[in-house]
């Protein structure tokens, strides 16, 4: 498992709940290792505490610099019969509507720090896709940007935003 920019670790917790649900259906799994990439030291501390609270016993390596993710992807070797699950929050503080409404004095957009970390995540995903193909499963938070330029760039690079309605969720659970 690779967890990127997931703030307090809630995406990893959600994945743990989903995997536990599979286990209840006699679908067994084994998490070999978890790598977390988070630049914010406060978020790292909170995520570490959350993993302790939910008894996340899988080995975890915390990497503090998201900019190293493409190099990590180039170097990592994964056993052939293994899936790679990548979760990413989004460093959205420079593109979100909330940031724009706060009217702070800083640059906005996907190329302004820390939102520009998205490009390192995207490059790393490209490397993983080339190396591991269909064994790579990604879950990305896709925020709603404050302007159409950033929205279009995100739609092209992260995939079009999709909101699952309650009816779609119930239908999916019925067939699961």
């Amino acid at each position: 498992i690779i967890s990127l920019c997931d703030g307090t670790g809630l995406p990893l917790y959600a994945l743990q709940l989903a995997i536990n649900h599979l286990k209840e259906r006699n679908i067994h799994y084994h998490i070999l290792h978890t790598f977390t990439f988070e630049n914010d030291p406060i978020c790292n501390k909170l995520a570490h505490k959350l993993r302790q609270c939910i008894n996340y016993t899988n080995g975890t390596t915390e990497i503090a610099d998201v900019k190293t993710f493409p190099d990590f992807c180039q170097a990592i070797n994964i056993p052939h019969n293994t899936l790679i699950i990548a979760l990413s929050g989004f460093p959205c503080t420079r593109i979100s509507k909330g940031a724009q409404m706060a009217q702070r004095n800083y640059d906005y957009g996907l190329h302004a720090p820390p939102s520009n970390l998205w490009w390192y995540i995207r490059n790393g995903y490209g490397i993983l896709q080339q190396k591991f193909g269909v064994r790579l499963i990604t879950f990305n938070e896709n925020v709603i940007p404050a302007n159409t330029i950033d929205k279009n760039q995100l739609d092209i690079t992260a995939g079009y935003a999709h909101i699952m309605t309650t009816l779609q969720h119930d239908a999916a659970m019925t067939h699961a």
Side-chain angles (χ1 to χ4, degrees), residues 44 63 152 168 176:
N44 262 332
I63 302 168
N152 291 340
Q168 290 169 323

Side-chain angles (χ1 to χ4, degrees), residues 3-8 36-41 43-44 63-66:
S3 181
L4 300 135
C5 298
D6 71 356
T8 60
T36 65
F37 290 80
E38 176 61 64
N39 283 19
D40 187 325
C43 288
N44 262 332
I63 302 168
D65 189 0
V66 176

Side-chain angles (χ1 to χ4, degrees), residues 103-121:
Q103 297 179 350
R104 295 195 175 106
N105 189 19
Y106 51 64
D107 292 335
Y108 291 98
L110 276 172
H111 298 284
S115 293
N116 64 345
L117 293 174
W118 164 245
W119 302 110
Y120 294 96
I121 295 169

Side-chain angles (χ1 to χ4, degrees), residues 9-109:
L10 290 176
L12 193 58
Y13 177 58
L15 178 65
Q16 183 72 31
L17 291 175
I19 289 173
N20 287 344
H21 181 68
L22 292 175
K23 190 175 181 181
E24 291 170 3
R25 293 173 173 243
N26 290 325
I27 300 171
H28 299 283
Y29 69 93
H30 177 70
I31 297 174
L32 297 177
H33 199 78
T34 300
F35 299 92
T36 65
F37 290 80
E38 176 61 64
N39 283 19
D40 187 325
I42 293 171
C43 288
N44 262 332
K45 188 175 181 179
L46 289 170
H48 182 79
K49 223 20 156 179
L50 176 69
R51 286 193 301 274
Q52 287 178 332
C53 290
I54 65 170
N55 295 319
Y56 191 84
T57 57
N58 305 299
T60 303
T61 301
E62 295 176 357
I63 302 168
D65 189 0
V66 176
K67 291 179 182 177
T68 64
F69 181 57
D71 293 333
F72 166 86
C73 294
Q74 200 71 6
I76 193 167
N77 289 310
I78 306 285
H80 184 68
N81 61 345
T82 305
L83 291 175
I84 300 107
I85 299 174
L87 312 165
S88 71
F90 196 87
C92 59
T93 56
R94 295 300 190 261
I95 66 165
S96 71
K97 289 183 179 184
Q100 188 179 47
M101 290 189 312
Q103 297 179 350
R104 295 195 175 106
N105 189 19
Y106 51 64
D107 292 335
Y108 291 98

Side-chain angles (χ1 to χ4, degrees), residues 111-141:
H111 298 284
S115 293
N116 64 345
L117 293 174
W118 164 245
W119 302 110
Y120 294 96
I121 295 169
R122 181 177 179 259
N123 290 341
Y125 280 174
I127 294 166
L128 290 175
Q129 179 62 42
Q130 288 176 355
K131 288 176 74 172
F132 303 111
V134 297
R135 294 190 299 140
L136 174 65
I137 301 169
T138 62
F139 297 93
N140 301 301
E141 173 188 16

